[in-house]
Amino acid sequence: MSARGWLWSLLLAGFFISTLFLSLPFGREIFVSPDENAAYVFAKTFAETGRLSISESLNDELGGLLHPRSTTGFGGAIVPASFIGFVVALGVVGAIFGNVAMYFVTPVLAVLAIVLWRASVSRVFKDELLADAAAFLLLIHPAFWYYTGRVMMHNVAFLALLIAGIWWCLAQPLASRARERFRARLRLVDFGIGGALFGTALIIRTSEIIWLTLALLVVFIVYRAFIGWRATATFVLGFMMALGVLGILNASTYGSPFMNGYTAKYPYAAIVISDGEAAAVIDQPKTNLLLPFGFHERVILNNVINYGWKLYPWMSVLAIVGLVLAVVEKHERRQLWRTLAIFTLVLATWFAIVYGSWKIIDNPDPSIISLGNSHVRYWLPLFALASIFGARTLVYMLGDRSKLRLAFTGGLAILATLLSLELVFFGHDGYQPSREALATFIVKGDRILAATETESIIIVDRADKYLFPERRVVVPLRSEATYAAIPAMLEQAPVYYFGITLPDKDLSYLNEEKLKPLGLRIEFVETLSEESLYRFVKD
C-alpha cells in the first residue's frame, strides 16, 4: 500500500472509532434526542416483528395523546412522526445481524461517503490532490463528524446515498469492468442503480425531493448528449422504483402511499376534551410545500450567520475563498467551477430560505448556538459541496509546493482538525457533554421506573426520550388538552408528572387554578437532581 493509502486508512479508522464515542457501551438503548430514541425503538420493533407501529390501546380512549415526541398516535397504536426509510434500514440490519449492529450503520455509511466523495471529485476534476483535500475537509467538518456520531439520526445516511448515487453514475462500475460487447447494456444498468440510490436517499429524507429532483433534471438536460435518452430512462426507472418502495412503506404504516409521519393525522373522536381543544390537537394548519415554515428575513439572516458561519468559521473561510477563486481565477476547468459555484449558491439560498425561516429551539437554552441544532444537520449536503471549494483554497495555497507552503498549509489543516475536534467533542452539545447527560438519563430513568407502576402514564416535558417505551408518556404538561385529559387518564392508570421541580407558588397555582376544577390535585413524590416526580390524585 502507498503512503497515501496508509494515511487515508489511518484517517478513516480514527474517524470511525471516534464517532462511536457516544454509543459506547453498546446496547444501552439510550440516546440524546427524542428523534434518535424513536428511530431506535421503531427499528428494533421492525427487526423483531416486521411492523413500524407499537400497540397502545389507550390511545383510542384518550384521543391519541399517549405518545412521546417524534412519534404520533394513530388509531390504537403509536407510529413514527418522521420519514421511515432509515428506520426500516436499521431494522433490516438489526434483524440480520442483531440490534447492536444498528449502531454501526451511520459510521459505516459516513466512511463510505468520504471514500466515494474523494473518488467522485477525482473523476470530475481530474485532480488527485483536490480530491484528497475535499474528502479530508468533509471528514473533519464538525457537522458531518458530529452527526455521524449521533448514530440514529438519518441525515448522514441521506448524504451518503446522494454521494453513492453521484459516484455510481460517474464511475459506472458494472460497465467499466465488463467486456466491450456488454458495456452498453451494463451502462444502462449502472444508471438504473444510480437512480435507485438517489431514490433511496429520498426514502431516507423525502423533504428534499423538490431541490434534488430539479437538480437532477438540470443535469440531465445539460448533459443529455453525453448521457443519452436510454440511460436517462433507466435512471428514471430506478428512481421511481425506489419511490414506489416508499409508497408501499407509507401505505402499510399510515394507510396511504402519499402520507408520512409529518402529515399523518388520525381522526380521533373528541371524547375526552372539548371541541375547541380537540381542534387544537387534531387539526393542524395546512403546510406550504415550497415554504413549510414561511418566509422570515431576520430569522433567515440569524440562522445563516449562526449555523453557516459562527460555529465553524475556519471551514467557512476556506469555502468562501475557494468560491471566489472558482469564479475569478483563469483555469482550464473554469466553466465547470463556475457551474458548480452557481449550483452551490442556488442550493445555499434554497436551504437558507426553506430551513432558515424556522426558528428551531433544540436546546432548553435558546441562546446557545451549537451543533445540536437541527439547522446543522439539514445543511449537510451544502457542507459537502463547500468541501470542494475549501479544497480549492488549500490547493491554491500549496502553489509550487515549496517547503514553506507545505508547512503552512499542513499546519492550517492540522489547526482546522483540532478546532473541529474541540467543537465536536467538547462544545455545547458535543460528545463529552452529551455522554455526561446520557449518564444522568440512565440514573433518572432507572429511579423513575422503580418508583412508578408498569402500567402508569407519565406526563413529561423532555424525559420521554429515556422513559419510552418502558412507560406510557404524554408531552407536555403545560397544555390545556393534557390538563383536560388527566381525569380520563386516571380512570385507566396511575398518572405522574416528571419535570423541572415546581416552586411552591407554581404548585399552588396548578392545584388551585388548573386541577381543582377537574377534581384533581398533584402531590410531590421525590426529587432527582433539578427535577421532581409528582403524582396526580383525585381530590
Side-chain angles (χ1 to χ4, degrees):
M1 186 184 292
S2 66
R4 173 182 280 173
W6 278 111
L7 179 58
W8 267 113
S9 296
L10 290 173
L11 283 172
L12 292 172
F15 172 82
F16 181 84
I17 293 169
S18 73
T19 61
L20 298 175
F21 186 79
L22 277 178
S23 302
L24 295 170
F26 299 117
R28 289 186 302 174
E29 301 188 7
I30 189 165
F31 304 94
V32 175
S33 70
D35 286 357
E36 292 168 283
N37 182 62
Y40 181 83
V41 168
F42 285 110
K44 182 179 178 182
T45 300
F46 186 78
E48 295 172 352
T49 68
R51 297 193 304 272
L52 284 171
S53 62
I54 296 173
S55 177
E56 180 46 81
S57 59
L58 291 186
N59 264 336
D60 284 323
E61 303 291 329
L62 299 171
L65 290 177
L66 293 181
H67 65 87
R69 290 171 294 170
S70 302
T71 74
T72 189
F74 201 77
I78 300 172
V79 296
S82 63
F83 308 116
I84 57 180
F86 188 56
V87 173
V88 172
L90 290 174
V92 170
V93 171
I96 297 172
F97 301 106
N99 291 339
V100 170
M102 294 193 291
Y103 290 84
F104 293 91
V105 172
T106 298
V108 168
L109 287 174
V111 170
L112 181 65
I114 295 166
V115 172
L116 296 183
W117 190 236
R118 186 204 171 281
S120 299
V121 174
S122 176
R123 282 185 172 272
V124 172
F125 292 97
K126 313 300 181 186
D127 188 331
E128 294 297 315
L129 183 59
L130 180 77
D132 282 332
F136 172 73
L137 290 178
L138 177 61
L139 182 152
I140 68 165
H141 196 290
F144 184 78
W145 195 348
Y146 178 75
Y147 279 101
T148 300
R150 298 282 294 273
V151 296
M152 296 297 156
M153 289 287 198
H154 66 261
N155 304 81
V156 169
F158 169 73
L159 178 62
L161 286 165
L162 288 186
I163 292 173
I166 292 169
W167 175 82
W168 204 285
C169 291
L170 290 172
Q172 299 170 31
L174 299 181
S176 64
R177 290 171 173 79
R179 294 179 180 179
E180 183 67 32
R181 59 175 177 169
F182 297 119
R183 284 181 185 173
R185 292 180 181 178
L186 288 177
R187 181 174 181 270
L188 299 181
V189 175
D190 279 324
F191 271 91
I193 294 173
L197 287 169
F198 279 103
T200 304
L202 290 179
I203 296 178
I204 299 293
R205 185 165 175 77
T206 316
S207 58
E208 313 298 351
I209 190 169
I210 295 177
W211 74 262
L212 182 56
T213 303
L214 290 175
L216 290 172
L217 182 62
V218 170
V219 168
F220 278 99
I221 291 174
V222 172
Y223 296 100
R224 61 187 181 279
F226 173 75
I227 297 171
W229 71 267
R230 290 184 178 181
T232 301
T234 57
F235 182 95
V236 172
L237 179 61
F239 187 77
M240 296 306 296
M241 286 178 66
L243 293 184
V245 172
L246 174 62
I248 292 171
L249 292 173
N250 285 339
S252 65
T253 305
Y254 307 107
S256 168
F258 303 107
M259 192 176 291
N260 59 48
Y262 292 105
T263 61
K265 295 290 180 292
Y266 190 82
Y268 287 108
I271 54 175
V272 298
I273 49 181
S274 69
D275 291 341
E277 291 161 345
V281 177
I282 298 170
D283 296 330
Q284 300 296 324
K286 294 181 179 180
T287 57
N288 185 312
L289 185 62
L290 288 177
L291 297 174
F293 312 112
F295 182 80
H296 309 286
E297 300 91 334
R298 291 185 180 181
V299 178
I300 291 171
L301 181 61
N302 286 335
N303 285 328
V304 168
I305 292 172
N306 291 338
Y307 302 105
W309 174 263
K310 280 187 178 180
L311 267 178
Y312 18 71
W314 58 94
M315 306 299 293
S316 300
V317 167
L318 288 174
I320 292 170
V321 171
L323 188 68
V324 173
L325 289 172
V327 174
V328 304
E329 190 184 23
K330 292 184 179 180
H331 192 275
E332 62 180 358
R333 295 187 177 276
R334 188 178 187 182
Q335 188 57 47
L336 176 60
W337 277 105
R338 286 187 171 185
T339 301
L340 183 63
I342 292 171
F343 175 75
T344 302
L345 289 173
V346 170
L347 185 62
T349 302
W350 174 270
F351 281 156
I353 293 173
V354 173
Y355 293 122
S357 293
W358 190 10
K359 190 174 182 180
I360 307 171
I361 301 176
D362 287 316
N363 192 295
D365 184 351
S367 67
I368 291 177
I369 302 169
S370 78
L371 290 172
N373 187 281
S374 295
H375 286 107
V376 177
R377 58 192 176 97
Y378 293 162
W379 293 346
L380 275 177
L382 184 62
F383 298 144
L385 287 172
S387 72
I388 302 178
F389 296 101
R392 177 72 181 268
T393 302
L394 293 179
V395 171
Y396 180 83
M397 292 171 63
L398 279 172
D400 60 4
R401 305 190 192 185
S402 63
K403 290 183 179 179
L404 181 60
R405 283 179 174 267
L406 283 170
F408 180 78
T409 308
L412 186 64
I414 293 172
L415 177 61
T417 302
L418 293 175
L419 289 171
S420 293
L421 185 149
E422 193 279 333
L423 180 61
V424 169
F425 277 83
F426 305 107
H428 285 296
D429 296 326
Y431 288 172
Q432 182 57 39
S434 294
R435 275 193 70 90
E436 293 172 358
L438 289 174
T440 67
F441 295 167
I442 293 171
V443 173
K444 291 177 182 178
D446 288 345
R447 188 68 196 92
I448 294 169
L449 294 181
T452 59
E453 300 84 353
T454 303
E455 70 277 10
S456 62
I457 299 169
I458 305 179
I459 302 171
V460 297
D461 298 318
R462 290 181 175 269
D464 53 332
K465 58 191 175 186
Y466 55 86
L467 293 179
F468 179 80
E470 283 75 17
R471 291 291 183 271
R472 297 179 171 117
V473 296
V474 174
V475 184
L477 172 66
R478 294 160 186 82
S479 160
E480 293 304 319
T482 301
Y483 291 136
I486 293 175
M489 294 183 200
L490 277 172
E491 294 297 323
Q492 304 294 334
V495 182
Y496 295 84
Y497 166 66
F498 179 70
I500 296 296
T501 300
L502 299 170
D504 289 341
K505 63 176 183 179
D506 289 355
L507 196 61
S508 297
Y509 170 80
L510 192 59
N511 274 321
E512 295 300 321
E513 301 296 329
K514 292 293 184 183
L515 299 179
K516 190 173 183 179
L518 300 172
L520 305 172
R521 70 176 186 276
I522 188 171
E523 297 179 344
F524 171 82
V525 177
E526 64 176 294
T527 294
L528 300 171
S529 186
E530 75 283 0
E531 296 176 290
S532 292
L533 180 68
Y534 301 86
R535 182 166 183 162
F536 291 95
V537 296
K538 293 182 179 180
D539 195 359

